[in-house]
Amino acid sequence: MPTLALANGLWIGEIPDELQDLTYAEQLLIARVRHNRCIVKVSSGMSKMRANAISFSNPMPKIYNVLPPPVEEMDEVLAFIYTGPCKPTKADFKRTPLLVRRLKVSKALHWLKLNHVDYYDCEISARNLASYPEEGPPVVVDHHPSSLNKNPESTSVHDMEEEDGTTEGSCPFIVYGLTGEEFSTKTMKTIKAIALQHLTSEGKILAIGHAETPESIYSNPQLFPSMLPWLFPYGLGGIQCRKNKINHSVWPPPLHFRPSGI
């Protein structure tokens, strides 16, 4: 069997037009596996704009059988903070990663249902789709007036630009991830002691429920194709899905076997 054959589970396929140029928010709406929640900050100066996001991993990934999720649910996983001298306009929203185009989301979901192996039983909700804007952010925008889009704490002494970002086109977008690495080296007994101390001192609590059978991130070849369908348009080529051992002299596969981003 050829190493990169479809039967070997390594065929990814070309990315169709329906899954290209999706914004960050649109990607959240079409993914069957919700694996994080994030706060996006768009900073606008007098002429330039830039954006970044802080992404927090979910303790338990959520699996969706109905897409897109209800618009009310987006407030639980996505926050949008806009800083600038004026409130954002429609033209500003079109440049941000929080733009949602209802028709673009609909076309992407219908394509995935017909072509992606994990979307055949996924229900596309016309009611949920109709609750999203035709073009605009899916959540409430929190505006904080500001005349600059620079962070003084992170600005180099050699940075002489008055503003960061770009004046036209999509604004630069950086995603930062946070995990609980400070607990990775502690024993379970130590973690329980920390939790008990937090509870007895009347610390705040966030309770998160999960399904009866948790979604595993190990030995789960379909996790990434369901989590990132714009990179695995047919649901194939996920991690650990190969039937034959990979010859490292031919892996990773040539670029024409892989979509951009892998």
Side-chain angles (χ1 to χ4, degrees):
M1 181 190 303
T3 303
L4 303 178
L6 169 62
N8 200 23
L10 287 174
W11 184 75
I12 295 177
E14 297 291 337
I15 300 180
D17 293 338
E18 290 83 354
L19 298 184
Q20 293 186 21
D21 301 321
L22 292 166
T23 67
Y24 188 74
E26 290 169 344
Q27 292 175 352
L28 295 179
L29 299 184
I30 69 170
R32 285 205 68 175
V33 177
R34 173 67 48 72
H35 58 95
N36 63 14
R37 53 190 64 193
C38 60
I39 300 173
V40 178
K41 179 181 178 181
V42 176
S43 302
S44 176
M46 300 305 296
S47 59
K48 292 185 177 182
M49 181 185 295
R50 67 185 182 90
N52 59 17
I54 299 177
S55 181
F56 304 86
S57 61
N58 277 349
M60 192 65 59
K62 183 174 182 180
I63 315 300
Y64 285 94
N65 294 320
V66 178
L67 289 173
V71 67
E72 299 82 10
E73 188 172 321
M74 295 305 296
D75 283 322
E76 301 176 4
V77 298
L78 185 63
F80 186 2
I81 300 175
Y82 188 94
T83 65
C86 304
K87 290 186 177 181
T89 63
K90 288 185 178 181
D92 293 331
F93 286 143
K94 289 183 178 181
R95 298 178 56 199
T96 70
L98 273 299
L99 175 69
V100 166
R101 297 158 291 182
R102 187 195 306 169
L103 183 59
K104 179 75 172 177
V105 173
S106 177
K107 288 182 178 180
L109 287 174
H110 281 89
W111 190 94
L112 288 169
K113 187 172 178 65
L114 292 174
N115 297 278
H116 196 291
V117 297
D118 293 329
Y119 280 73
Y120 75 96
D121 61 343
C122 179
E123 178 186 346
I124 300 176
S125 172
R127 180 178 180 180
N128 289 352
L129 262 174
S131 65
Y132 286 91
E134 293 185 3
E135 277 196 347
V139 295
V140 176
V141 181
D142 186 10
H143 176 240
H144 293 267
S146 174
S147 58
L148 298 174
N149 67 354
K150 277 182 171 289
N151 293 326
E153 297 85 357
S154 60
T155 302
S156 169
V157 294
H158 303 290
D159 187 352
M160 298 301 160
E161 294 287 337
E162 294 184 0
E163 296 177 342
D164 289 334
T166 180
T167 57
E168 58 184 15
S170 299
C171 63
F173 183 48
I174 302 174
V175 179
Y176 301 93
L178 295 179
T179 58
E181 294 182 356
E182 66 273 18
F183 300 115
S184 61
T185 58
K186 291 180 170 54
T187 64
M188 180 58 65
K189 184 177 181 180
T190 303
I191 293 176
K192 288 181 179 179
I194 295 173
L196 180 61
Q197 181 182 8
H198 180 77
L199 294 175
T200 54
S201 61
E202 298 184 354
K204 294 183 178 180
I205 303 172
L206 173 62
I208 301 177
H210 56 80
E212 181 178 352
T213 304
E215 185 72 10
S216 173
I217 63 174
Y218 302 102
S219 302
N220 187 353
Q222 291 308 114
L223 177 64
F224 281 94
S226 296
M227 192 166 66
L228 309 168
W230 51 93
L231 295 182
F232 302 88
Y234 296 91
L236 303 173
I239 298 175
Q240 296 181 345
C241 69
R242 51 190 177 274
K243 295 181 175 67
N244 289 346
K245 292 184 178 180
I246 298 299
N247 183 343
H248 292 286
S249 64
V250 297
W251 185 262
L255 288 178
H256 66 273
F257 281 94
R258 297 179 288 156
S260 61
I262 291 186

